[in-house]
Amino acid sequence: MSDLGLNGKVAVVTGASRGIGRAIALELAARGARVVVNYHRSEQAAQEVVSQIQANGGEAVAFQADVSDFQQAQALIKFALETFGDLHILVNNAGITRDTLLMTMSEEDWDEVIRTNLKSTFNCSKAAIRHMIRKRYGRIINIASVAGQMGNAGQTNYSASKAGQIGFTKALAREVASRNITVNAIAPGFVDTEILNTMPRETLEAALKLVPLGRMGRPEEIAFAVAFLASDQAAYITGQVLGVDGGMAMM
Ligand code: NAP
């Protein structure tokens, strides 16, 4: 892909210590962006992402914050602005699952998933938007899921959080379009990361039969879509949900 205009841009990637977030941080940094690698518990993994970026000649810093907490999300965005003096790209990627049927789902399972996946998106976007409006520039990219489009048995909490992110994406896209800020979502299908570890192998194998391309996605394939949506070339795309799912959900 040609130059995407990401050189020197400042990006915050939530949940960038592992999995998809890690791949996004590496991809954006490889294209010249200065990246804040947010993590919650995996400090060592986050530092390794930073070291890898630096070893490749890029710029990155790690910052610990539980983005489901409003104050900590504000601290994350403040840190990015103080460290790099700007903020162009926010990737709301942090997410968890607490899978079980509704019959057995506890209130805590529900609240934790909604807080971590959906409220974090509100928290970080709210913290970032004032600066982006002032600068008349911004790219917000929310990592949703096919579960938010199609639903998934055993994931009422997760599917609701992801559908919520999609609604949030469309509403905010309309609010800030006149300020040259785009807001889009990516809906990955099954991607080979640790988040799938809690899913029984047979369930995963059965689910993969529903994927026209017949395999799991790789984190790098989601990261590439993020780089595209963050690029200058994607300036006319907003309020969209880009499926990167091997053809699972054809909307
Ligand atoms: P993962 O490998 O389990 O990684 C999750 C990341 O989120 C970790 O870096 C973790 O940080 C971070 N995180 C969790 N809670 C956090 C919090 N409160 N504050 C800050 N960071 C937090 O998961 P993944 O597969 O990469 O998933 C990334 C995103 O893609 C999620 O939103 C997920 O729903 C979405 N997604 C994944 C798939 C898939 O099949 N993998 C499919 C569709 C959508 P620590 O380790 O530091 O705690």
Side-chain angles (χ1 to χ4, degrees):
M1 196 152 44
S2 60
D3 177 42
L4 297 182
L6 297 180
N7 204 23
K9 295 270 164 61
V10 178
V12 169
V13 183
T14 71
S17 47
R18 297 183 286 114
I20 293 171
R22 174 181 179 278
I24 294 169
L26 292 172
E27 175 74 38
L28 295 178
R31 294 180 180 278
R34 295 170 285 165
V35 182
V36 176
V37 174
N38 161 249
Y39 67 97
H40 183 206
R41 297 200 169 90
S42 308
E43 183 178 3
Q44 198 187 332
Q47 292 300 347
E48 281 166 18
V49 175
V50 169
S51 301
Q52 194 171 333
I53 289 171
Q54 290 170 343
N56 294 336
E59 266 187 82
V61 278
F63 189 81
Q64 197 277 336
D66 172 355
V67 289
S68 71
D69 179 275
F70 188 71
Q71 309 292 345
Q72 292 186 44
Q74 287 203 314
L76 167 65
I77 300 301
K78 189 160 173 265
F79 173 80
L81 289 170
E82 285 172 359
T83 306
F84 292 124
D86 215 332
L87 175 60
H88 306 93
I89 303 160
L90 168 65
V91 185
N92 288 307
N93 165 78
I96 57 166
T97 53
R98 294 286 178 271
D99 296 352
T100 186
L101 297 174
L102 184 67
M103 287 271 287
T104 48
M105 186 174 291
S106 67
E107 187 182 358
E108 200 185 9
D109 291 334
W110 174 268
D111 286 344
E112 209 181 335
V113 168
I114 298 293
R115 240 191 354 258
T116 306
N117 301 3
L118 180 57
K119 182 152 185 285
S120 65
T121 302
F122 161 78
N123 290 344
C124 295
S125 303
K126 172 139 176 88
I129 206 73
R130 192 180 294 274
H131 175 83
M132 289 180 171
I133 287 174
R134 210 169 39 238
K135 297 301 283 276
R136 293 280 194 279
Y137 184 89
R139 294 277 193 271
I140 298 179
I141 299 158
N142 299 319
I143 307 302
S145 169
V146 281
Q149 299 172 302
M150 302 170 68
N152 196 18
Q155 292 194 319
T156 50
N157 50 1
Y158 184 79
S159 302
S161 74
K162 295 295 171 181
Q165 273 185 311
I166 291 171
F168 178 93
T169 299
K170 294 177 182 178
L172 184 60
R174 290 184 189 278
E175 282 185 22
V176 296
S178 65
R179 305 301 205 278
N180 192 33
I181 301 168
T182 67
V183 188
N184 290 289
I186 290 176
F190 292 103
V191 181
D192 193 7
T193 72
E194 290 168 22
I195 211 170
L196 298 181
N197 287 355
T198 52
M199 191 179 272
R201 214 66 219 168
E202 319 78 75
T203 312
L204 188 57
E205 273 162 25
L208 282 177
K209 295 206 170 81
L210 303 173
V211 182
L213 285 172
R215 65 167 175 87
M216 275 199 265
R218 294 187 298 274
E220 294 73 20
E221 292 172 316
I222 310 303
F224 189 78
V226 171
F228 166 65
L229 288 174
S231 72
D232 287 347
Q233 288 86 338
Y236 200 52
I237 301 175
T238 196
Q240 302 303 307
V241 183
L242 176 58
V244 185
D245 61 2
M248 248 184 115
M250 298 193 189
M251 298 284 144

